[in-house]
Amino acid sequence: MKPVRSSYDVVIVGGGHNGLVAAAYLARAGRSVLLFERQPRIGGAAVSARVFAGFDARLSRYSYLVSLLPRSIVNDLGLRFVTARRSVSSYTPVGEQGLLVSSAHARTEASFARFTGSQREFRAWQGFYGAIGRMARRVFPSLTRPLPSRDELRTIVADQALWEGVFERPLGETIESTFIDDTVRGVVLTDALIGTFTRAHDPSLRQNRCFLYHVIGGGTGQWEVPVGGMGALTDTLAVAARSAGAEIITACEVTKIDTDDTTAEVEFCEGRVGARHVLVNAAPFVLAELLGDSTPRKPAGAQLKVNMLLRRLPRLHDLHVGPREAFSGTFHLGESYTQLDRAYREAAMGRIPSVPPAEIYCHTLTDPTIVASDSATRGMHTLTLFGLHAHADLFAVDPEGAKTGMVNATLAHLDSVLAEPITDCLAVDENGAPCMEALTPPDLERELGLPGGHIFHRELAFPYLPNEADPTDPATRWGVSTDHRNIFLCGAGAIRGGGVSGIPGHNAAMAVLEDGHPTWARTSI
Ligand SMILES: Cc1cc2nc3c(=O)[nH]c(=O)nc-3n(C[C@H](O)[C@H](O)[C@H](O)COP(=O)(O)OP(=O)(O)OC[C@H]3O[C@@H](n4cnc5c(N)ncnc54)[C@H](O)[C@@H]3O)c2cc1C
């Protein structure tokens, strides 16, 4: 397929979910839009895939839970997409017992009491997450508006102690002054480490930034299951973009961008096309290469993703909780505060963590539709394991050997809390292989083009205007600026970018519409 025109109002580089959101908003606003996607399929890290031969199980192969997608984007674009709430928030097994956090208040309180031996931690938990919830309700709506200044965001948060604890001091200080129990502390810290290689007391506060985005989504911080899998979001976004008139060309890589800051030329697989604005859904590191700029430091991801298809859920040592309840929420493994710190230190020294921390999620307990269409698969369960501190450097010398080491260490720890080995529960595909695949940062770089396998394209940023920024420049106001006046980021690398949110796609579209038409976006947001 070739572009219909020689020049467009907007050319978008990348058809991840954010590129599609930007395309849909801009096409609906009457702009001519052309989007190129390098891969044969759109969606980037937000896709469903039939991973195991012989089974029609549509796994959310990469990203799997949704929290940060604002309802306003779903409504604006008329998306047919819903998420389902999990009945359990988290379960953390330790030997033969475990800590359960569920939507049933009394059950959670009883679990805290049994696990920690007193009411203290439960009260601390309620106080802490009560304050976080108030912050979430206030801060989340700001993510789809022009960036506030730091002072304005502090006013929005309206809680000086919480502001200091989340925005100014290493999160470890807040966690240690609030909680005593090592497991409870670890459950809280986990949200600060997902996709981010760091530790509780990192003075750079990257753990605080990661924590913030993990607890404010939707104004509640709830992580929900995408009904129909993550591909359902991408599919409906593609319909929205195409039906508004956007052209989408897949299996076509953009190889160069030239700009004089007013107009741009984009070189793609079959030629060149002109553009007033170029929106880049690829990572900033890729953008630098496309511009021929001196290449910035490559980011490094730090996670292991293991996808499994099970014939049945495994039984647990903990007899207070059944497997359906334990796996309904986020199942924490090796994620006590002490274990998280030890694993970070081991990985930072270049060693596979002896107890690799991980979370496990069972999509099918909340949304069985992803396995329901096929009689061979019906009733089976998908299990997603997201491992932390699997730093890209660990896989540099011997990628396959390190992957095997990491997976084996992780599964050995999982087996230690199960009453039967996880491998006994795995389905077997039509070639006789167990239904399990593992993806490391190099795998994600190869498959998704994520530099260094970094799931957020680069380190997350606090959602306020950087000090030196010019608040009158549309791209800067919306957190999507680059060094060039007519090239904007529209993906995870923007300020307020990481995760499945559509927010940077929306914000880049608003910046384009505002650029040269200052009143348009302000009146229509
Ligand atoms: C294993 C994994 C698990 C995750 N889990 C979650 C989760 O549960 N919840 C959550 O919210 N987030 C999760 N994330 C993060 C989230 O998926 C990403 O931050 C988000 O999908 C980024 O979306 P995007 O559209 O900005 O970019 P991407 O999805 O990275 O899409 C960018 C697109 O640009 C294309 N591209 C790149 N270069 C070019 C080029 N030169 N020419 C043309 N096309 C190009 C790529 O092929 C890709 O399709 C996870 C990520 C991974 C990898």
Side-chain angles (χ1 to χ4, degrees):
M1 192 175 147
K2 282 190 182 269
V4 172
R5 309 153 59 124
S6 60
S7 175
Y8 289 77
D9 292 328
V10 184
V11 169
I12 301 177
V13 182
H17 81 286
N18 276 312
L20 295 168
V21 167
Y25 270 102
L26 289 166
R28 288 165 71 98
R31 300 299 188 273
S32 57
V33 178
L34 172 65
L35 181 152
F36 291 115
E37 169 52 49
R38 189 177 64 92
Q39 300 212 60
R41 54 143 185 85
I42 48 172
V47 291
S48 301
R50 291 177 179 81
V51 178
F52 303 115
F55 292 116
D56 183 19
R58 283 153 292 127
L59 275 74
S60 298
R61 190 175 204 177
Y62 308 106
S63 55
Y64 44 93
L65 289 177
V66 178
S67 174
L68 289 158
L69 176 68
R71 206 61 229 164
S72 57
I73 293 181
V74 174
N75 293 340
D76 286 352
L77 300 181
L79 304 180
R80 294 167 68 89
F81 178 69
V82 290
T83 55
R85 185 166 284 204
R86 304 175 298 164
S87 55
V88 169
S89 172
S90 73
Y91 170 74
T92 309
V94 179
E96 301 197 352
Q97 38 166 355
L99 177 66
L100 182 79
V101 181
S102 86
S103 50
H105 178 94
R107 185 137 171 72
T108 304
E109 187 173 10
S111 180
F112 265 82
R114 192 170 53 244
F115 190 82
T116 65
S118 81
Q119 298 294 333
R120 188 211 172 273
E121 290 297 81
F122 183 62
R123 281 200 294 271
W125 179 276
Q126 284 187 299
F128 181 71
Y129 282 106
I132 294 283
R134 287 189 290 279
M135 176 181 74
R137 280 193 292 283
R138 291 167 152 272
V139 171
F140 190 64
S142 78
L143 302 189
T144 39
R145 298 184 194 135
L147 282 168
S149 68
R150 194 166 188 277
D151 283 346
E152 285 167 342
L153 189 65
R154 194 200 328 249
T155 305
I156 291 171
V157 170
D159 179 335
Q160 185 57 24
L162 192 66
W163 171 267
E164 286 171 17
V166 175
F167 291 83
E168 295 190 338
R169 288 187 284 114
L171 191 68
E173 292 182 24
T174 306
I175 293 176
E176 287 169 30
S177 63
T178 311
F179 302 102
I180 296 172
D181 185 272
D182 195 44
T183 300
V184 176
R185 285 178 172 181
V187 172
V188 180
L189 181 62
T190 304
D191 277 332
L193 307 180
I194 293 178
T196 303
F197 188 62
T198 185
R199 61 197 164 85
H201 289 280
D202 186 340
S204 77
L205 303 189
R206 67 175 63 168
Q207 73 282 30
N208 294 43
R209 300 194 292 269
C210 180
F211 179 78
L212 179 72
Y213 288 102
H214 277 92
V215 296
I216 59 172
T220 64
Q222 290 280 343
W223 284 87
E224 300 194 348
V225 171
V227 173
M230 210 51 103
L233 175 61
T234 288
D235 292 347
T236 185
L237 280 170
V239 169
R242 284 200 174 102
S243 61
E247 286 171 49
I248 297 176
I249 301 183
T250 53
C252 184
E253 184 167 0
V254 168
T255 45
K256 196 166 189 287
I257 303 172
D258 292 315
T259 179
D260 62 8
D261 279 8
T262 306
T263 55
E265 283 236 321
V266 174
E267 186 178 280
F268 62 100
C269 53
E270 290 185 21
R272 291 173 78 84
V273 65
R276 165 74 185 93
H277 287 96
V278 179
L279 299 189
V280 179
N281 185 198
F285 181 83
V286 175
L287 171 61
E289 290 181 328
L290 294 175
L291 290 165
D293 285 355
S294 59
T295 306
R297 219 161 69 95
K298 196 173 182 180
Q303 67 290 316
L304 173 76
K305 177 96 189 317
V306 181
N307 294 313
M308 296 173 244
L309 185 64
L310 304 184
R311 287 181 290 113
R312 61 188 153 80
L313 290 173
R315 286 175 287 112
L316 301 166
H317 284 311
D318 180 358
L319 299 177
H320 294 98
V321 178
R324 293 184 72 85
E325 193 170 28
F327 286 103
S328 282
T330 301
F331 187 105
H332 292 274
L333 196 63
E335 290 188 333
S336 77
Y337 201 64
T338 314
Q339 286 171 320
L340 286 166
D341 190 58
R342 190 180 311 128
Y344 171 81
R345 286 175 197 285
E346 287 172 334
M349 286 188 295
R351 295 207 302 265
I352 302 280
S354 40
V355 178
E359 286 116 52
I360 302 176
Y361 309 82
C362 179
H363 189 128
T364 39
L365 284 171
T366 308
D367 169 33
T369 65
I370 62 165
V371 292
S373 62
D374 168 26
S375 60
T377 316
R378 204 169 299 139
M380 288 187 168
H381 287 291
T382 61
L383 223 54
T384 278
L385 182 149
F386 189 92
L388 307 183
H389 296 336
H391 193 275
D393 287 354
L394 298 175
F395 305 90
V397 178
D398 174 12
E400 286 309 307
K403 181 179 354 188
T404 304
M406 191 89 189
V407 171
N408 287 348
T410 306
L411 296 187
H413 190 59
L414 173 58
D415 281 350
S416 76
V417 299
L418 301 180
E420 55 185 332
I422 185 71
T423 43
D424 284 5
C425 302
L426 287 173
V428 174
D429 74 13
E430 65 184 17
N431 305 314
C435 292
M436 177 187 293
E437 69 157 4
L439 302 165
T440 60
D443 295 329
L444 295 176
E445 178 157 20
R446 194 181 55 253
E447 292 187 12
L448 297 176
L450 295 172
H454 199 302
I455 70 167
F456 303 136
H457 292 188
R458 64 173 166 191
E459 295 304 328
L460 298 167
F462 278 127
Y464 51 70
L465 266 175
N467 270 343
E468 69 288 0
D470 169 11
T472 61
D473 171 55
T476 306
R477 277 162 47 77
W478 286 97
V480 297
S481 64
T482 70
D483 289 344
H484 297 278
R485 277 276 299 126
N486 63 341
I487 301 180
F488 302 168
L489 294 172
C490 73
I495 300 178
R496 313 181 284 191
V500 176
S501 72
I503 291 172
H506 165 273
N507 291 351
M510 294 304 122
V512 168
L513 297 174
E514 202 173 289
D515 199 15
H517 302 275
T519 52
W520 188 94
R522 285 194 192 114
T523 53
S524 54
I525 296 159

